[in-house]
Structures are given as C-alpha cells and as structure tokens.
Amino acid sequence: MLHGLPLDASEGAVPRPEFDPRRNSLAERERAKAAELTAAGHRVTASGIKQRRQRYQRDGLIGLADGRSAKQMPPFGMVDAVVVEAMRQAIGETAEDSSKTIGFIVWRAKEILAGQEEAADVDVPSRATLYRLYSKLATGTHATGSARTRRSVNARPPGPFGAPGS
C-alpha cells in the first residue's frame, strides 16, 4: 500500500491500478485496501487502515501486533506498596492468635500505616479495595478461619519454589 507493491514483489512488477502511488493518493490507496479487506470478509475502515499504516511506519512490524497483553495491571492494582506491606504484616500477626475477622485485619493494617512515617502521605484505599486486597493476600493462609488450621499451615516447611504471589 505504501509503495504500490508487496515487499516480496519480483523485479519489474507493476502495482495494481488502485494501489499505484503515481495515480492515487495515500488516502485513496487506504480506502482501496479497506474496500478490498471488507470484500474479503474483514470489516475494516479506511481510518483503521490509516492507523495501522502509521503504527507500521513508526514501530515496524511490532506496531501491528495486538498490544493489549503488554498492558498488564500490577498484581495489586493501584494500591501503594506500603499499603500492601501493612496488610501482609496484619495478616501475618494473626498466625498464632485466635481467629480474627477481615474487619479486624483491615483495621490493624490501617493502624500499622498510621504508625509508619513513610506512609504519612499515602492515601489509604477504600474499605472495598482493602477487602479485595485482603482476598488476594490471604489466599491459603486461613487468616480468618480455624486457628488450629492456620497454625498447622504456618508450621509447614516452605516448598521448593516459594510461596504463591511472592
């Protein structure tokens, strides 16, 4: 579409009339490519072709790849690392104690944050966000379950590959 011929065209090849750069503007060639792809069963607009062409010219072949998988959300979303560590500490403190509720663990995490100087300017997330964070961090710890089970789980030796989520 840029030069009228495919990259692997043989020497002396002539571009198809609708893609000939001497006869048609770039916008006309983009419309022709959109029409060709639409006729082949792929719903594409001329503006979509233009965007892909611009990405190709800017980034090369990698610019045409679907980049959504590269945009990964951090494991704990937008929650500050200090808050994550406070929640981990609060969960860890329940290991040998009697059973606690999630509300207590969230409260304890807030208390830990209040006592840390480096957490002074950190915004504490909403209650719902802290509960979701708890769900991610407490998986497999039995932090709010039976004290006997929790102590048994904590007494196990570490596995050969480390703890999940660490």
Side-chain angles (χ1 to χ4, degrees):
M1 191 177 65
L2 291 174
H3 308 291
L5 295 170
L7 294 175
D8 60 350
S10 61
E11 193 69 33
V14 178
R16 291 186 288 168
E18 65 269 20
F19 295 109
D20 190 347
R22 290 174 287 165
R23 292 189 205 176
N24 301 309
S25 69
L26 185 56
E28 290 171 329
R29 295 191 313 260
E30 289 168 350
R31 285 192 295 271
K33 180 52 80 173
E36 179 182 47
L37 290 171
T38 301
H42 304 286
R43 288 188 47 157
V44 182
T45 62
S47 62
I49 295 293
K50 178 180 178 181
Q51 290 171 354
R52 287 175 181 86
R53 176 191 51 81
Q54 289 172 335
R55 284 197 318 258
Y56 176 76
Q57 287 180 305
R58 184 185 64 233
D59 302 326
L61 195 56
I62 196 74
L64 298 177
D66 185 358
R68 289 177 291 184
S69 63
K71 296 176 185 177
Q72 301 257 333
M73 188 70 159
F76 302 111
M78 301 305 291
V79 178
D80 195 294
V82 176
V83 176
V84 173
E85 284 309 309
M87 184 67 78
R88 279 190 173 131
Q89 182 180 340
I91 291 169
E93 289 176 0
T94 65
E96 297 300 321
D97 293 344
S98 61
S99 296
K100 306 291 187 206
T101 63
I102 299 173
F104 174 84
I105 294 171
V106 167
W107 171 84
R108 180 63 187 132
K110 289 179 182 178
E111 290 293 307
I112 292 168
L113 286 170
Q116 293 179 346
E117 214 172 281
E118 64 269 11
D121 60 340
V122 172
D123 290 331
V124 177
S126 69
R127 178 177 178 261
T129 300
L130 289 172
Y131 271 62
R132 284 191 299 270
L133 178 62
Y134 168 83
S135 294
K136 288 181 180 180
L137 293 174
T139 301
T141 65
H142 300 278
T144 57
S146 162
R148 178 179 288 174
T149 303
R150 185 174 52 256
R151 290 181 190 125
S152 174
V153 167
N154 287 331
R156 287 184 199 155
F161 303 113
S166 59

